[in-house]
């Protein structure tokens, strides 16, 4: 079963159906409420969410800059997911523990763990505590934490498309792509068998535009950033 976007008023998501109160995103803090991850708005301004926290192992590939990756991480945390971030650049992710805040005893929130790019034992995910594992290992990431359990979502952060990432890209349930130069757009067309019109669209996206790609899915969307997110992430941008 493919992973799909969900528009309000349409029953086109996959199990279970989540809804997000925009106030959750303004808080950018762990919430007891469950929800889909809001990733932006459609061409008509309608909010778009993705049911990425679900009762089956899930893979998401992000092709673009750190801005997009960290926004997805913040919004996963905002709807109650645990985060494990495996990265070779831990300083770039320190805003996540800060955003999570501290426990009543003053200790850092246990919801965010930043790790090196090496296998570690993961928390056991559940419906009440879904797990998002972010692998930030460059354009040819090792599959250190493949999703094997229900309620585990593994997100692969690719700064650009590389031929050696084809296997991971093809295995993704959904791909979010920012603007690509012509050579990478041509590679994307070969990986996903895109027609020329779609390939050209990938090269003309604005800094705040993303293409959501999946099985029977090609959806342009616009990134929307809240005031709190702007304070943490800065302005919307394509690069890091």
């Amino acid at each position: 079963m493919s992973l799909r976007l969900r528009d309000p008023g349409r029953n086109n998501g996959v199990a279970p159906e989540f809804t997000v109160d925009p106030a959750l995103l303004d808080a950018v803090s762990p919430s007891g409420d469950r929800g889909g991850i809001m990733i932006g708005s459609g061409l008509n301004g309608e909010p778009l969410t993705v049911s990425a926290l679900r009762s089956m192992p899930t893979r998401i590939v992000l092709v673009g800059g750190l801005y997009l990756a960290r926004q997805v991480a913040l919004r996963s945390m905002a709807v109650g997911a645990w985060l494990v971030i495996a990265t070779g650049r831990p300083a770039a992710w320190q805003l996540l523990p800060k955003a999570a805040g501290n426990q009543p005893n003053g200790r850092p929130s246990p919801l965010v763990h930043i790790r090196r790019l090496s296998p570690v034992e993961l928390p056991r995910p559940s419906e009440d505590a879904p797990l998002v594992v972010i692998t930030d290992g460059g354009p040819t990431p090792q599959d250190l934490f493949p999703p094997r359990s229900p309620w585990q979502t593994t997100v692969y952060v690719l700064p650009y498309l590389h031929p050696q990432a084809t296997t991971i890209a093809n295995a993704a349930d959904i791909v979010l792509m920012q603007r690509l130069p012509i050579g990478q757009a041509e590679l994307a067309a070969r990986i996903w068998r895109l027609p020329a019109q779609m390939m050209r669209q990938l090269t003309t996206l604005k800094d705040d535009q993303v293409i959501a790609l999946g099985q029977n899915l090609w959806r342009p969307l616009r990134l929307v950033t809240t005031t709190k997110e702007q304070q943490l992430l800065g302005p919307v941008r394509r690069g890091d």
Side-chain angles (χ1 to χ4, degrees):
M1 183 179 294
S2 63
L3 187 66
R4 300 191 180 187
L5 293 174
R6 181 176 185 272
D7 295 351
R10 294 185 182 180
N11 186 23
N12 62 346
V14 294
E17 288 301 335
F18 294 125
T19 59
V20 178
D21 183 341
L24 281 177
L25 301 182
D26 238 357
V28 194
S29 59
S31 167
D33 297 332
R34 296 189 305 156
I37 299 173
M38 184 179 292
I39 57 174
S41 64
L43 298 181
N44 297 318
E46 70 279 13
L48 297 176
T49 66
V50 61
S51 297
L53 311 176
R54 57 186 189 155
S55 58
M56 62 185 69
T58 301
R59 294 174 184 261
I60 298 175
V61 166
L62 307 181
V63 184
L66 263 176
Y67 177 90
L68 174 62
R70 292 187 296 194
Q71 187 179 61
V72 169
L74 283 169
R75 294 186 176 186
S76 301
M77 186 172 63
V79 295
W82 294 70
L83 293 181
V84 173
I85 302 165
T87 179
R89 44 182 178 178
W93 292 93
Q94 290 302 321
L95 63 87
L96 271 297
K98 292 179 181 177
N102 294 328
Q103 303 178 72
N105 61 11
R107 294 182 178 180
S109 169
L111 291 180
V112 181
H113 299 270
I114 298 177
R115 297 286 184 259
R116 295 181 179 181
L117 287 164
S118 58
V120 296
E121 184 175 353
L122 296 174
R124 180 172 295 180
S126 67
E127 183 175 1
D128 293 327
L131 175 66
V132 174
V133 181
I134 297 176
T135 301
D136 177 30
T140 58
Q142 300 178 33
D143 207 3
L144 298 172
F145 307 102
R148 296 191 178 98
S149 304
W151 304 106
Q152 178 185 334
T153 298
T154 300
V155 178
Y156 304 87
V157 180
L158 308 183
Y160 58 88
L161 275 181
H162 189 284
Q164 292 183 14
T166 299
T167 300
I168 284 177
N170 267 324
D173 296 284
I174 195 167
V175 180
L176 301 179
M177 284 187 287
Q178 294 185 281
R179 183 177 61 249
L180 300 180
I182 183 62
Q184 291 179 46
E186 291 172 348
L187 176 58
R190 293 194 296 272
I191 293 174
W192 292 293
R193 300 180 181 178
L194 303 177
Q197 180 180 359
M198 290 180 177
M199 183 190 73
R200 287 193 296 271
Q201 188 175 4
L202 286 172
T203 68
T204 60
L205 297 174
K206 297 179 180 179
D207 283 359
D208 65 347
Q209 290 182 320
V210 172
I211 293 292
L213 170 68
Q215 185 177 347
N216 301 319
L217 173 67
W218 176 271
R219 184 68 179 269
L221 59 95
R222 175 176 168 268
L223 296 176
V224 178
T225 304
T226 68
T227 300
K228 180 68 73 172
E229 286 175 334
Q230 288 178 359
Q231 293 172 358
L232 291 167
L233 303 176
V236 177
R237 56 198 180 277
R238 164 61 180 88
D240 293 341

